[in-house]
Amino acid sequence: EAQVTQNPRYLITVTGKKLTVTCSQNMNHEYMSWYRQDPGLGLRQIYYSMNVEVTDKGDVPEGYKVSRKEKRNFPLILESPSPNQTSLYFCASSLLAGGHEQYFGPGTRLTVT
Amino acid sequence: AQSVTQLDSQVPVFEEAPVELRCNYSSSVSVYLFWYVQYPNQGLQLLLKYLSGSTLVKGINGFEAEFNKSQTSFHLRKPSVHISDTAEYFCAVIFISNFGNEKLTFGTGTRLTIIP
């Protein structure tokens, strides 16, 4: 089954404790992206990757890192989480950037206390 | 700045009644337009998209949307809603001038509630 998977689905952590949210797709997609969803703000892009060689910042990259060592995986790293990073996170992928449909993972609900 | 506006944060509609969810964007550049649906505790699923051609686009679950370039709008419609349509709906736009990262810019969402 074609899908985007994220782990964990739920995470409660404390300020400053490094964490990684994994994202994997099995559709051989080039483009991958991370979004955060906050009430009243919709989804905002954190980082994106056009392919394994190109990764760049989105609209709200502060406090986040990503890596794209292989096509299928695009982990999101929070080196020192803070309470303002409490949010619902979505990973998405598409065949290429542009008008292609983006497929979304099920989401990761992160709470930082 | 390029932005996407969904003026209605919540829309209650009686079952079997028609519904229109509004979406406007602010830009004069070429665009790709999308509507996504998010059911409770799930990720986003594509309802329909407009890339080019006919301005009336049909999607899944009986939804359709019409692109109006002069009004920079892409409103979503369904002639008769069902309980199962209860969800949050997001309009999203790719502003094609953003070369290199043709990212989706999302509206803030409209929560559609169907009243039995």
Side-chain angles (χ1 to χ4, degrees), chain B:
Chain B
Q2 296 161 336
S3 63
V4 180
T5 301
Q6 293 180 250
L7 283 175
D8 304 309
S9 59
Q10 297 187 59
V11 174
V13 180
F14 286 103
E15 193 172 14
E16 298 185 6
V19 68
E20 178 180 85
L21 305 183
R22 297 179 293 167
C23 173
N24 289 86
Y25 62 93
S26 62
S27 177
S28 59
V29 303
S30 297
V31 293
Y32 296 144
L33 301 160
F34 304 80
W35 275 98
Y36 281 84
V37 60
Q38 183 179 30
Y39 298 106
N41 299 314
Q42 294 187 27
L44 278 72
Q45 177 183 355
L46 181 69
L47 270 180
L48 48 79
K49 66 180 179 182
Y50 170 82
L51 303 183
S52 64
S54 172
T55 57
L56 182 62
V57 180
K58 294 189 183 297
I60 62 172
N61 300 340
F63 284 93
E64 65 179 32
E66 186 157 21
F67 170 47
N68 188 318
K69 187 175 182 179
S70 62
Q71 297 186 6
T72 59
S73 68
F74 191 53
H75 300 332
L76 181 70
R77 302 185 185 98
K78 186 170 182 178
S80 176
V81 296
H82 303 285
I83 291 289
S84 59
D85 293 323
T86 295
E88 188 148 23
Y89 293 78
F90 290 95
C91 180
V93 178
I94 293 177
F95 299 99
I96 300 174
S97 64
N98 290 339
F99 182 75
N101 177 26
E102 294 181 336
K103 68 182 177 79
L104 284 169
T105 298
F106 284 87
T108 52
T110 297
R111 186 171 301 277
L112 177 62
T113 301
I114 308 304
I115 305 165

Side-chain angles (χ1 to χ4, degrees), chain A:
Chain A
E1 179 188 357
Q3 59 182 348
V4 179
T5 57
Q6 295 179 228
N7 283 292
R9 293 288 313 278
Y10 303 90
L11 179 59
I12 301 174
T13 190
V14 297
T15 300
K17 185 176 181 181
K18 180 178 179 180
L19 65 92
T20 299
V21 183
T22 64
C23 172
S24 182
Q25 51 91 6
N26 62 0
M27 296 169 279
N28 203 35
H29 285 171
E30 294 287 345
Y31 185 91
M32 297 187 75
S33 181
W34 276 102
Y35 298 88
R36 60 177 289 174
Q37 182 181 13
D38 300 291
L41 296 177
L43 282 81
R44 294 175 292 168
Q45 190 184 53
I46 303 170
Y47 268 93
Y48 70 94
S49 174
M50 301 284 284
N51 52 57
V52 293
E53 297 177 354
V54 179
T55 299
D56 208 346
K57 299 175 181 177
D59 294 323
V60 288
E62 293 77 21
Y64 304 95
K65 286 176 58 177
V66 293
S67 69
R68 187 94 183 269
K69 297 178 181 178
E70 50 190 336
K71 185 184 280 191
R72 64 183 294 126
N73 296 322
F74 191 46
L76 179 69
I77 303 158
L78 284 72
E79 299 234 332
S80 183
S82 62
N84 64 13
Q85 292 178 297
T86 292
S87 186
L88 180 57
Y89 292 87
F90 288 101
C91 180
S93 74
S94 65
L95 184 62
L96 298 168
H100 299 273
E101 175 181 356
Q102 287 198 22
Y103 293 82
F104 284 79
T108 295
R109 186 166 293 280
L110 172 65
T111 302
V112 183
T113 61

